[in-house]
Amino acid sequence: MNAPLSNTAACGGIDLHREDGQRAVFCGLTGIVWLHRKIRDAFFLVVGSRTCAHLIQSAAGVMIFAEPRFATAIIDERDLAGLADCNDELDRVAARLIERRPDIKLLFLVGSCPSEVIKLDLSRAAQRLSAKLGPVKVLNYSGSGIETTFTEGEDACLAALVPDLPAEAADAAPSLLVVGALADVVEDQFLRLFSAMGIADVRFLPARHANAMPAVGRNTRYLLAQPFLAATARALDERGAKRLSAPFPLGAEGTTGWLQAAAEAFGVSDATFEAATAAGRARAETALAPYREKLGGKRVFFFPDSQLEVPLSRFLARELGSVLVEVGTPYLHRAHLSAEIELLPEGTRVTEGQSLDEQLDRCRAARPDLTVCGLGLANPLEAEGLATKWSIELLFTPVQGYEQAGDLAELFARPLARRALLEV
């Protein structure tokens, strides 16, 4: 049920509510769609059903002649009934895969609802296969819809990597680790900015290749590039790394705040920071200017889906002048989002969790100009005359950093332009 919290003052002045009930989100398997493009010599083997295979294939839009880096080890009715040895079958599929694809250096066994229903121990399977498959490292994580929501698949994947990351030397100079899957072009842009600030030792998790995963230790300072990486952050903390509190690099303001956190941690002077970021900030402001007229005053409603909702809302409200009707998010990690919460307009309604029917009622009553939601809700709401933005597209598209600020604004403006054309 919907329940306002009593500590709104401690949450940056937002109007914070919690809901429990039916929810409408993709499962964590969906994260494979962008992760498989990031780690170039990794392979994601979903241990699941044909439904899981269809989901990933449809979400990725992979053509039949492509050679993707994901597949599904099918669990069928015999397996579910306990009539077949799933471990033997899994070993056979994995061995055949590595024989066929010798370029694979890292194999993820990804749990799904069926594998969890039959209690298949993928952790032990990963250990067994690592020993059998020689130089190929085998790890496991859960992408099951029983346990995970849309973006938690990436969190579980990166958290699985952390225990095996190389140890940083005890006497190493402080290094900066950027955590979260980013497009290569965005990584390169950030590297240039950090270099201009004088921060030379910058690493990324995940790395582009399995054998280039970053070292971590007590001298590691890390910035989260995504707000949904709670388990990964805990794992890094256990390795001695220290998180830098910052807003997320969405829009000009968020990117500046994110870079500023690194600058302060590494003793970068104000003059150097200004020189390094001035041109990027100016380009972002120029790119955003035409969208302020398109999105200024537009009322936006967020359904909980990606955990990006709070920083996206801050971007829309502060940089584009949009009005926030409601900001729904699956989970609100107060420590990781503290800088974002402080920047939200006073009294913004933020709903953690979801009671789907109640939230749909509020959305229909509010009739927002734009509704940000998952694919399952978008078509019915469009049929009711509401313009919608698919939240999943905000994960597939490079949106972080100064150079992508205009692209991020365009993603929100496009559905309104489409709706205007349809009404004509």
Side-chain angles (χ1 to χ4, degrees):
M1 296 296 292
N2 180 20
L5 302 181
S6 59
N7 62 335
T8 52
C11 293
I14 61 174
D15 180 19
L16 183 57
H17 297 250
R18 284 203 190 101
E19 285 188 342
D20 294 306
Q22 184 184 8
R23 60 184 185 177
V25 291
F26 270 144
C27 69
L29 294 178
T30 321
I32 292 169
V33 176
W34 60 88
L35 286 167
H36 92 279
R37 297 184 301 184
K38 185 62 193 175
I39 313 173
R40 296 171 185 170
D41 50 3
F43 196 97
F44 294 80
L45 183 62
V46 177
V47 185
S49 66
R50 286 179 175 81
T51 301
C52 303
H54 292 321
L55 167 67
I56 300 301
Q57 190 77 8
S58 298
V62 176
M63 297 183 228
I64 58 173
F65 55 79
E67 188 76 58
R69 293 195 301 278
F70 58 86
T72 306
I74 302 295
I75 295 176
D76 61 23
E77 289 79 4
R78 292 177 68 249
D79 303 313
L80 291 170
L83 301 176
D85 190 323
C86 290
N87 285 294
D88 289 346
E89 178 65 10
L90 180 59
D91 287 9
R92 184 186 68 80
V93 170
R96 186 178 63 183
L97 172 65
I98 299 303
E99 181 181 359
R100 213 177 120 246
R101 299 284 296 273
D103 55 306
I104 296 171
K105 299 295 185 288
L106 176 61
L107 175 62
F108 288 102
L109 304 180
V110 188
S112 67
C113 298
S115 60
E116 293 195 356
V117 166
I118 63 175
K119 309 299 183 187
L120 183 57
D121 191 339
L122 291 184
S123 176
R124 293 183 65 182
Q127 294 174 9
R128 181 178 69 249
L129 285 169
S130 278
K132 283 186 176 182
L133 298 176
V136 179
K137 180 66 179 177
V138 184
L139 299 174
N140 76 285
Y141 71 89
S142 174
S144 164
I146 297 173
E147 287 193 347
T148 63
T149 57
F150 174 29
T151 50
E152 287 182 283
E154 178 180 334
D155 188 21
C157 175
L158 300 192
L161 286 170
V162 172
D164 287 326
L165 294 179
E168 193 174 56
D171 59 350
S175 62
L176 177 63
L177 179 65
V178 176
V179 184
L182 296 170
D184 291 352
V185 64
V186 176
E187 279 191 8
D188 293 341
Q189 290 166 7
F190 284 149
L191 274 175
R192 288 193 291 271
L193 285 165
F194 288 127
S195 177
M197 291 160 53
I199 304 174
D201 191 354
V202 181
R203 308 161 187 179
F204 292 87
L205 179 69
R208 301 179 191 183
H209 297 279
N211 62 359
M213 292 296 168
V216 64
R218 296 191 178 279
N219 294 312
T220 304
R221 309 292 180 264
Y222 70 91
L223 277 171
L224 293 177
Q226 304 285 13
F228 45 75
L229 300 175
T232 306
R234 284 196 301 272
L236 287 168
D237 292 343
E238 290 170 2
R239 293 287 305 268
K242 296 178 178 61
R243 182 179 65 86
L244 304 179
S245 180
F248 290 88
L250 298 173
E253 181 182 43
T255 300
T256 299
W258 189 76
L259 294 169
Q260 183 72 56
E264 292 175 358
F266 285 81
V268 177
S269 70
D270 292 345
T272 299
F273 181 78
E274 175 65 23
T277 60
R281 291 202 313 273
R283 287 193 296 271
E285 289 296 333
T286 299
L288 290 172
Y291 294 102
R292 293 194 175 106
E293 182 177 350
K294 298 175 181 178
L295 292 164
K298 299 299 183 183
R299 301 168 65 249
V300 184
F301 191 108
F302 280 86
F303 279 85
D305 201 54
S306 67
Q307 295 189 60
L308 284 169
E309 293 85 8
V310 171
L312 288 172
S313 297
R314 182 266 305 156
F315 167 71
L316 285 170
R318 291 175 63 90
E319 300 198 51
L320 298 172
S322 301
V323 177
L324 304 176
V325 178
E326 179 170 334
V327 180
T329 188
Y331 306 103
L332 188 72
H333 196 298
R334 286 155 184 74
H336 292 178
L337 288 167
S338 59
E340 296 284 0
I341 291 170
E342 291 293 334
L343 293 172
L344 285 177
E346 183 82 15
T348 298
R349 180 189 173 111
V350 177
T351 305
E352 181 180 14
Q354 186 174 38
S355 175
L356 180 57
D357 289 340
E358 291 183 42
Q359 196 168 41
L360 280 169
D361 288 344
R362 294 195 300 273
C363 181
R364 287 166 174 147
R367 302 295 299 179
D369 297 299
L370 181 64
T371 302
V372 184
C373 59
L375 292 168
L377 296 178
N379 284 347
L381 291 175
E382 287 278 352
E384 296 178 23
L386 295 176
T388 63
K389 171 80 248 163
W390 295 351
S391 55
I392 194 170
E393 192 176 357
L394 297 159
L395 271 297
F396 290 173
T397 309
V399 294
Q400 294 85 3
Y402 292 130
E403 311 305 331
Q404 285 66 238
D407 297 334
L408 178 56
E410 170 66 20
L411 289 175
F412 291 104
R414 196 178 299 155
L416 299 178
R418 183 180 66 241
R419 174 66 57 179
L421 288 173
L422 290 173
E423 289 175 353
V424 171

